[in-house]
């Protein structure tokens, strides 16, 4: 029910390193560092949706009890949850990281993240990053009959969670989380020019960045690719850097 993903750091010089073996040397830095490790293994665990009990579980949804079991296992094995921003600070500034860091990600921004997962994060004092689809949060914010079991977080809930100290928000596009015959998520479609792709991606992500910043007071620096689909030629890397993203997964 959970997947291990590679986290990618988008450095200013255009060098990319992977967080499963996050290295300052790979980032081309020469710093006086407070954390003496040159390389740290960081697993990234991806979740989507949560439900009250096992009767609601499916490929993308796990029960609160099962999620609590995961948190207990991480705690007992000595793992400490961190935010992507802490990883960025480690790479850029030499900030300290725990001995066994792990990142928990909740993709899509479902309201059940707050209903079922967040109380457990509070119970175990663990952190997670929620990757928001802005258009879905817009819909939830205007739907007074929204079902919290299946709908998405509204912007008021995003604001509340961001103040908890246990949740950081990433972008999951504003309205590119779909699959059509021409495009899969935010990937470049066949025959699309570089300029066309840059314009489409920039317009969408800027809109989501602005909405997330308005709700949380912070400009997100992490981006989650819908469906894990991205241009193999890395044409999106400079676009994301120009938009202020430093981490993708």
């Amino acid at each position: 029910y959970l997947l291990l993903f590679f986290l990618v750091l988008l450095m200013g010089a255009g060098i990319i390193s992977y967080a499963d073996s996050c290295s300052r040397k790979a980032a081309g830095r020469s710093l006086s560092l407070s954390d003496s490790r040159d390389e740290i293994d960081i697993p990234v665990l991806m979740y989507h949706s949560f439900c009250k009990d096992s009767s609601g579980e499916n490929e993308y949804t796990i029960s609160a009890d099962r999620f609590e079991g995961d948190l207990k296992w991480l705690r007992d094995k000595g793992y400490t949850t961190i935010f992507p921003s802490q990883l960025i600070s480690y790479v850029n500034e030499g900030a300290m990281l725990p001995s066994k860091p792990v990142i928990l990600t909740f993709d899509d921004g479902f309201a059940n993240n707050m209903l079922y997962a967040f109380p457990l994060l509070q119970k175990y004092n663990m952190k997670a990053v929620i990757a928001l689809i802005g258009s879905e949060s817009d819909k939830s914010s205007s739907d007074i009959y929204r079902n919290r079991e299946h709908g998405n977080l509204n912007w008021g809930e995003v604001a509340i969670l961001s103040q908890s100290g246990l949740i950081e928000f990433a972008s999951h596009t504003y309205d590119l989380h779909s699959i059509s015959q021409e495009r899969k998520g935010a990937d470049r479609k066949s025959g699309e020019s570089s300029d066309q792709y840059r314009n489409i991606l920039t317009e969408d992500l800027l809109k989501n960045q602005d909405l997330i910043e308005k709700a949380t007071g912070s400009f997100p620096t992490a981006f989650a690719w819908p469906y894990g689909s991205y241009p193999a030629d890395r044409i999106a890397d400079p676009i994301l850097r120009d938009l202020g993203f430093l981490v993708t997964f």
Side-chain angles (χ1 to χ4, degrees):
Y1 290 96
L2 57 88
L3 300 175
L4 177 63
F5 273 74
F6 295 112
L7 198 70
V8 179
L9 302 181
L10 300 178
M11 310 311 298
I15 302 171
I16 299 174
S17 58
Y18 293 87
D20 67 316
S21 182
C22 181
S23 169
R24 296 194 189 95
K25 290 181 179 179
R29 304 286 174 176
S30 177
L31 303 172
S32 176
L33 303 170
S34 56
D35 192 319
S36 60
R37 293 168 293 177
D38 286 329
E39 186 172 292
I40 302 177
D41 292 332
I42 305 179
V44 180
L45 307 182
M46 184 185 74
Y47 299 86
H48 282 83
S49 184
F50 300 87
C51 58
K52 184 176 182 179
D53 54 50
S54 60
S55 65
E57 291 187 328
N58 57 42
E59 183 180 2
Y60 295 104
T61 304
I62 67 169
S63 68
D65 284 346
R66 191 182 297 274
F67 181 58
E68 184 170 15
D70 291 347
L71 298 184
K72 288 180 179 178
W73 186 92
L74 291 170
R75 179 200 61 189
D76 294 345
K77 295 298 181 181
Y79 283 96
T80 302
T81 53
I82 66 169
F83 290 139
S85 60
Q86 292 175 261
L87 177 60
I88 293 169
S89 294
Y90 161 77
V91 173
N92 288 343
E93 304 166 15
M96 290 293 295
L97 286 181
S99 59
K100 294 177 68 175
V102 61
I103 295 177
L104 308 182
T105 72
F106 302 165
D107 275 11
D108 301 339
F110 291 112
N112 58 45
N113 293 181
M114 186 175 188
L115 186 62
Y116 296 119
F118 181 63
L120 294 173
L121 295 177
Q122 291 178 305
K123 180 178 179 179
Y124 293 95
N125 193 32
M126 292 189 175
K127 303 173 180 177
V129 54
I130 298 178
L132 287 176
I133 305 170
S135 61
E136 295 299 325
S137 288
D138 273 351
K139 293 175 186 176
S140 290
S141 297
S142 61
D143 182 5
I144 62 174
Y145 302 109
R146 176 201 54 159
N147 185 337
R148 292 187 72 199
E149 297 275 352
H150 305 293
N152 284 64
L153 293 165
N154 63 39
W155 291 114
E157 289 166 335
V158 170
I160 291 171
L161 289 172
S162 70
Q163 296 170 10
S164 70
L166 298 178
I167 299 292
E168 190 167 277
F169 286 94
S171 176
H172 206 29
T173 76
Y174 176 76
D175 198 25
L176 288 176
H177 197 288
S178 61
I179 299 176
S180 68
Q181 293 181 343
E182 297 182 334
R183 190 188 307 279
K184 184 177 183 180
D187 203 349
R188 184 182 183 181
K189 69 181 182 181
S190 177
E192 191 170 49
S193 72
S194 299
D195 287 343
Q196 287 173 325
Y197 180 60
R198 170 179 283 277
N199 291 339
I200 288 171
L201 190 62
T202 297
E203 180 180 0
D204 179 276
L205 297 187
L206 272 179
K207 185 171 185 177
N208 214 32
Q209 292 284 74
D210 290 343
L211 288 168
I212 293 173
E213 183 181 27
K214 182 178 180 180
T216 67
S218 298
F219 200 76
T221 55
F223 174 65
W225 286 100
Y227 314 107
S229 183
Y230 57 90
D233 62 3
R234 300 290 191 185
I235 188 177
D237 289 357
I239 301 173
L240 295 178
R241 282 195 299 272
D242 289 347
L243 294 173
F245 291 108
L246 298 175
V247 176
T248 70
F249 48 88

